[in-house]
Amino acid sequence: GLVREAARAAWAAHDRGEAPDQLALGLVEAFGVAEVPALGAALESASDVSADWGRHARVVFTAADAGSLLAREVIAEAGRSLAALVVRLAERGVPVDDVVVSGGTVLAQPLLYDALTSALAEQVPGARPWPIQVPPVEGAVALARSIL
């Protein structure tokens, strides 16, 4: 989703007549296309969307580190979207005092983790994020053992 939204942001900037910034240039290079409008076909040609798009997520963070405001907004929105999932759980009556945060991208990218925790503080005051540094399968095994 991060790469898809980054491409959308780059397209929108292109449509506004803005010169390509670090995000647009990084995506064009990563997908091996000549210009921003060609990103659409490159994204659509993916045979495995998660893998083919996801491997380019680093481009978004590299662009943000290089000063791309577009990339920073894409990351901030990703944090808000993740926090919105917690809001949905809370609205269904699920306790969300403790929010386990796992996954390679969110934990490896401080900008995304910070965006998530900021959005959580805003949208779900009192929710405490708990970054988990073990493979997700370990949690699944622990959960299964607790049920048996």
Side-chain angles (χ1 to χ4, degrees), residues 124-135:
V124 192
R128 293 177 305 273
W130 293 92
I132 302 298
Q133 300 288 346
V134 297

Side-chain angles (χ1 to χ4, degrees), residues 17-147:
E18 297 172 15
D21 76 344
Q22 297 92 334
L23 178 61
L25 295 172
L27 289 170
V28 163
E29 181 181 339
F31 281 95
V33 296
E35 59 184 354
V36 171
L39 286 170
L43 290 168
E44 288 177 4
S45 70
S47 58
D48 180 351
V49 171
S50 291
D52 292 346
W53 292 7
R55 67 187 169 98
H56 299 300
R58 64 175 171 68
V59 170
V60 181
F61 298 104
T62 299
D65 290 340
S68 170
L69 297 178
L70 285 177
R72 287 187 173 273
E73 181 51 38
V74 167
I75 294 166
E77 181 56 34
R80 290 188 292 269
S81 294
L82 290 170
L85 296 173
V86 178
V87 170
R88 283 190 207 144
L89 291 172
E91 290 171 348
R92 293 178 181 166
V94 175
V96 294
D97 298 334
D98 296 307
V99 178
V100 175
V101 181
S102 182
T105 303
V106 72
L107 294 178
Q109 298 295 339
L111 286 175
L112 181 55
Y113 184 81
D114 291 347
L116 168 60
T117 57
S118 294
L120 272 177
E122 207 174 278
Q123 296 178 36
V124 192
R128 293 177 305 273
W130 293 92
I132 302 298
Q133 300 288 346
V134 297
V137 70
E138 289 186 31
V141 170
L143 180 60
R145 285 185 177 147
S146 73
I147 294 171

